[in-house]
Amino acid sequence: MSVTFWCPDAPRRQIPCKSCLAAGERCDPYCLGFTVESEAPEVNFANGNAAAILELLGYCSAPGGEVPDTAVFRRRIVRARNIDRSHLEHEGYELPGGHGVAVVRDEDGIDRIQPMGCRVVSFGNTDEQTLRRLEALDRLAAFAQEHKLEIVWG
């Protein structure tokens, strides 16, 4: 899953579908031959990275939200670039499927322990990645501020 930061009221434009162009015909029967994209930058992070960045910036890391004041948002980004961010750094890890357990009752009424859980992969985080994410958010915020647009995430 991921979280996207974007400006919902930004102008949008139609661009030709790259898959259709590569194929020389419609890439699938439901494709209109074009996609619509925002003129504003859009930033997408994995859930954990988005939550960490939002908390670093002093916002609630709820699944969705909005930036009430773009100027304050940009000041918080500047501050975040100049403070210790080492608490956000971590090594990557992988958990195989079935890393958790649940107690389930079978049709005979007998309780048993059943392995549960999907495979989990985390690629970790470095300070350089955090700075790259802050820079991407600042580009979005600069565009929003210049065009008087709201920033939301979800």
Side-chain angles (χ1 to χ4, degrees), residues 1-5 42-54 57 73 129-140 153-154:
M1 300 296 295
S2 64
V3 175
T4 300
F5 295 79
E42 293 184 357
V43 184
N44 185 271
F45 304 141
N47 284 357
N49 293 326
I53 290 291
L54 285 166
L57 296 175
F73 187 67
Q129 291 169 316
T130 300
L131 288 171
R132 179 180 50 80
R133 290 181 186 104
L134 290 169
E135 178 60 34
L137 285 175
D138 192 46
R139 282 193 304 274
L140 170 61
W153 70 83

Side-chain angles (χ1 to χ4, degrees), residues 91-118:
E91 294 292 322
Y93 62 89
E94 180 176 351
L95 297 173
H99 57 274
V101 296
V103 177
V104 295
R105 181 164 290 175
D106 64 19
E107 57 276 348
D108 297 325
I110 298 172
D111 290 341
R112 60 183 172 82
I113 296 175
Q114 177 177 325
M116 301 289 284
C118 62

